[in-house]
Amino acid sequence: MSALLKIDGLNKSFGGIKATDDLSLEVAPGEIHAIIGPNGAGKTTLISQLSGMAKPDTGRILFKGRDITGQPAHKRAGLGITRSFQITSLVMELSVLDNIALSLQAREGHSFRFLKPARKVTHLREAGRALLARVGLEGKADMPTKALSHGEHRRMEVAIALGAGAELMLLDEPMAGLGFEESRDMVALLTGIKGQHTILLIEHDMDAVFALADRISVLVYGHIIATGTPEEIRANAAVQHAYLGEE
Amino acid sequence: MTRKTLLSVGFILALGILPPIFYWTGNAFWLDLATRLVILAIAATSLNLILGYGGMVSFGHAAYMGLGAYAVGIPAHHWLYGGLEAWGLATTSGLVQIPLAVAVTAIFALLTGAICLRTRGVYFIMITMAFAQMVYYLIVSIEEYGGDDGLVIDTRSELPGLDLDNPLQLFGLAWVSLVAAILIVRMVINSRFGMVIQGAKGNDERMRTLGFNTYVYRLVAYVISGAMAGYAGALLGNFTTFISPEMMDWSRSGELMFMVILGGVATTLGPVVGATVFIVLEEVLSDLTLYWHLPFGLLLIAVVLFGRGGLIGLLNGRDQ
Ligand SMILES: Nc1ncnc2c1ncn2[C@@H]1O[C@H](COP(=O)(O)OP(=O)(O)OP(=O)(O)O)[C@@H](O)[C@H]1O
Ligand SMILES: [Mg+2]
């Protein structure tokens, strides 16, 4: 199997805290690979290093066999990696559709285009509306982003990840703060894109994880203690002890 | 057209029509005031591009106006007293001076912006101010161009079909330039480039994870803004015909910032309204009392504190 993403001996410390501890992991093309682990295990820190927002102390990150450890965030996005944020991260000052259109615009190479009004670039606007329809936000396209609810923001995060068209989507707790029905909708949404994108999914909601994931890795104190299919992880005694048992 | 666009167009038209009427009815002074106002409004509009839409709080914008003015004054000086002929820079031709003003300020913006834009927040404010002061002291140190005392521009820029010694024509050029500046900033802001700039202001991290190298986009906006301020400076030099390092002082940059904030950041007309209110109030208050700085300052602070969105914001109602 040639991995789409290969993480090799990654380490990162914040002062005395080892947030990532000799972490190695492979993500296969097309799979949904979930990472679970207790609060503070280093899940977000891992995503930050993969997306280029944070620099690992040591170790390597290979994407399609290519070493991207030193690449800045915008270059990695260009190669086909995008992330969503645990804490909603949108351009609140712009409209919902503007946000989505920007993610589509990012795919078209540079944006040093000064003449035509962005809101008149029909192919971006139409593709943006189609994406919003996919996440059930078609009615909200022209609203200011800050006027939407938390659940709607979470769906925008996914629409933007889809808009960026990344081969590898790093989703940091897409269900964070969602109610029961909203979570269910989100699972349905992610099920719908399964197979089209490779997804590294961080999630606390165990029902969602076991419903969606092809493989699961368990992260504790910055180190992966087990990787396997949902069944294997459920049966794993160490995992039971370290994490699942505490629920 | 919406009511807002109608008001905006009306305001700009009034700004272009009333001053010449004052002039013809024997109040030449008001045309003078309006010319200065319109030139400062161009600079404020250019500052709004980076400060308002891009979130780059530059505290050195007056340096660009100063450099633009010296790009008129220095060639005019050499034309009269000799020197720099080999460079083609001993000239009174506006077709050399004005492109020079734009080019010099664009390069200055590129070189300093490349450094400033690596920083954020207060550091950015400080370092833009530091670079501006550097230019200030550089000019002060050059004896040939008058140093501290400044430089008199004996001959205004010569342009085909225009006579800048005629106050009406100078005003006309400034007003047309202002309209062009407003339209250029609008176009840039509404473009795909402008969306990236606004996105980076709102959420830089998000824009970078989408694949935008926000640093480079900001730098380009910074250069456009600086070059526009340089152009305004070339006009200012032609208007005052006396230039000195004082025009680059940090307090001048502060005034430009105030105009933008007073009128309303990230609005098309905010900087123009801000410049108008600033210049007219300054004039009226300084006529009334010697101690006009205090009430003026208090008024500015009041608008900044209570009128979020500036005067344009007050006009639009609270929710804008
Ligand atoms: N910028 C930072 N500076 C200092 N410490 C940090 C920083 N970011 C994370 N940490 C620490 O690193 C550890 C891992 O944090 P991280 O946010 O990656 O955990 P997480 O697994 O995402 O947790 P959660 O489930 O709560 O989202 C924590 O102990 C955290 O306090
Ligand atoms: Mg986290």
Side-chain angles (χ1 to χ4, degrees):
Chain A
M1 177 199 78
S2 78
L4 182 70
L5 179 73
K6 189 168 170 356
I7 303 163
D8 194 12
L10 215 59
N11 282 288
K12 174 132 191 107
S13 301
F14 295 109
I17 304 164
K18 243 181 167 302
T20 309
D21 184 8
D22 190 25
L23 190 156
S24 297
L25 177 71
E26 293 195 2
V27 178
E31 74 171 338
I32 294 189
H33 194 126
I35 293 189
I36 60 173
N39 289 111
K43 303 180 296 294
T44 298
T45 305
L46 173 64
I47 296 269
S48 296
Q49 293 170 85
L50 295 178
S51 62
M53 312 298 314
K55 235 180 86 151
D57 299 333
T58 59
R60 291 195 315 156
I61 302 164
L62 302 176
F63 181 64
K64 295 187 197 165
R66 181 166 161 185
D67 192 337
I68 57 162
T69 319
Q71 302 260 22
H74 64 91
K75 285 250 173 69
R76 296 188 201 198
L79 293 173
I81 302 175
T82 196
R83 76 171 284 183
S84 77
F85 292 82
Q86 179 173 358
I87 298 162
T88 301
S89 179
L90 302 160
V91 186
M92 292 295 166
E93 297 82 356
L94 295 176
S95 80
V96 175
L97 183 55
D98 286 342
N99 270 274
I100 312 299
L102 269 171
S103 73
L104 293 158
Q105 186 183 317
R107 281 157 81 170
E108 305 197 324
H110 70 84
S111 281
F112 293 103
R113 299 175 199 281
F114 298 93
L115 300 180
K116 188 166 180 179
R119 296 185 179 93
K120 296 230 164 81
V121 182
T122 31
H123 71 275
L124 291 179
R125 303 307 273 189
E126 277 168 12
R129 282 183 196 279
L131 270 176
L132 284 173
R134 242 174 111 181
V135 300
L137 290 175
E138 60 272 50
K140 310 276 178 171
D142 299 310
M143 288 182 62
T145 300
K146 59 171 173 275
L148 266 58
S149 72
H150 175 72
E152 289 165 334
H153 283 157
R154 301 310 294 168
R155 278 188 272 167
M156 278 182 71
E157 286 267 348
V158 176
I160 286 171
L162 286 171
E167 246 178 291
L168 175 63
M169 290 177 24
L170 312 166
L171 303 182
D172 196 355
E173 301 201 27
M175 337 261 168
L178 293 188
F180 175 72
E181 283 187 13
E182 286 175 322
S183 290
R184 208 185 48 201
D185 290 348
M186 184 63 79
V187 171
L189 177 62
L190 294 180
T191 309
I193 60 175
K194 195 169 168 163
Q196 298 163 26
H197 304 265
T198 307
I199 298 176
L200 190 67
L201 174 69
I202 291 186
E203 194 43 68
H204 273 302
D205 181 336
M206 285 306 135
D207 294 334
V209 167
F210 283 100
L212 285 165
D214 298 301
R215 289 199 299 156
I216 299 172
S217 290
V218 183
L219 188 68
V220 178
Y221 293 122
H223 191 74
I224 304 252
I225 60 163
T227 295
T229 63
E231 294 71 37
E232 287 165 357
I233 292 299
R234 234 194 269 270
N236 186 311
V239 175
Q240 290 287 342
H241 177 72
Y243 185 45
L244 292 176
E246 294 170 5
E247 291 257 303
Chain B
M1 265 200 251
T2 64
R3 198 181 72 102
K4 198 175 139 197
T5 350
L6 219 64
L7 271 176
S8 304
V9 172
F11 184 80
I12 293 292
L13 284 179
L15 202 55
I17 294 167
L18 291 181
I21 293 179
F22 282 131
Y23 180 77
W24 283 314
T25 53
N27 294 297
F29 166 76
W30 286 97
L31 181 73
D32 250 28
L33 193 76
T35 309
R36 194 157 71 86
L37 183 169
V38 165
I39 293 170
L40 289 174
I42 299 171
T45 298
S46 77
L47 178 60
N48 190 34
L49 172 63
I50 53 172
L51 188 154
Y53 295 102
M56 297 165 251
V57 185
S58 162
F59 210 139
H61 225 57
Y64 292 88
M65 290 196 86
L67 282 172
Y70 272 90
V72 171
I74 291 173
H77 170 84
H78 286 294
W79 177 79
L80 197 61
Y81 300 106
L84 290 193
E85 285 88 354
W87 295 64
L89 289 181
T91 176
T92 56
S93 166
L95 296 180
V96 174
Q97 292 170 341
I98 292 173
L100 182 70
V102 171
V104 165
T105 46
I107 292 167
F108 183 67
L110 183 68
L111 296 179
T112 60
I115 297 164
C116 298
L117 289 168
R118 301 232 173 253
T119 66
R120 285 276 185 288
V122 180
Y123 299 102
F124 181 80
I125 299 176
M126 301 288 279
I127 194 168
T128 49
M129 189 167 142
F131 274 123
Q133 290 301 98
M134 220 176 73
V135 179
Y136 174 93
Y137 285 113
L138 176 77
I139 300 283
V140 166
S141 71
I142 305 179
E143 290 281 326
E144 164 138 40
Y145 305 135
D148 231 350
D149 297 331
L151 190 63
V152 173
I153 299 179
D154 292 283
T155 314
R156 289 190 164 96
S157 297
E158 279 164 335
L159 288 167
L162 265 183
D163 174 15
L164 298 189
D165 286 327
N166 176 330
L168 275 176
Q169 294 196 25
L170 180 60
F171 173 78
L173 176 65
W175 184 80
V176 169
S177 302
L178 174 63
V179 172
I182 292 169
L183 294 177
I184 289 171
V185 168
R186 257 187 91 91
M187 183 186 77
V188 168
I189 278 315
N190 288 327
S191 72
R192 276 168 274 187
F193 172 83
M195 295 302 280
V196 177
I197 290 294
Q198 294 178 77
K201 176 196 174 194
N203 192 336
D204 186 66
E205 197 171 64
R206 162 59 84 188
M207 296 303 285
R208 279 188 288 133
T209 53
L210 282 177
F212 296 108
N213 186 353
T214 52
Y215 170 77
V216 175
Y217 287 90
R218 282 206 179 89
L219 185 56
V220 170
Y222 195 76
V223 170
I224 296 173
S225 170
M228 282 175 69
Y231 177 84
L235 290 182
L236 191 61
N238 272 296
F239 170 66
T240 58
T241 65
F242 168 70
I243 55 181
S244 75
E246 194 272 334
M247 357 173 15
M248 312 187 185
D249 193 64
W250 65 269
S251 60
R252 297 282 166 201
S253 297
E255 284 176 13
L256 287 174
M257 272 171 72
F258 254 137
M259 289 173 195
V260 176
I261 296 166
L262 182 66
V265 290
T267 59
T268 305
L269 225 54
V272 187
V273 172
T276 307
V277 172
F278 190 100
I279 296 293
V280 171
L281 264 188
E282 184 185 57
E283 193 54 45
V284 172
L285 285 178
S286 63
D287 256 10
L288 285 179
T289 157
L290 205 60
Y291 308 102
W292 60 277
H293 288 98
L294 183 66
F296 192 48
L298 289 177
L299 181 96
L300 290 176
I301 291 169
V303 172
V304 172
L305 284 184
F306 303 113
R308 284 189 58 218
L311 295 169
I312 295 270
L314 292 177
L315 205 69
N316 286 337
R318 269 294 150 104
D319 56 0
Q320 266 280 298

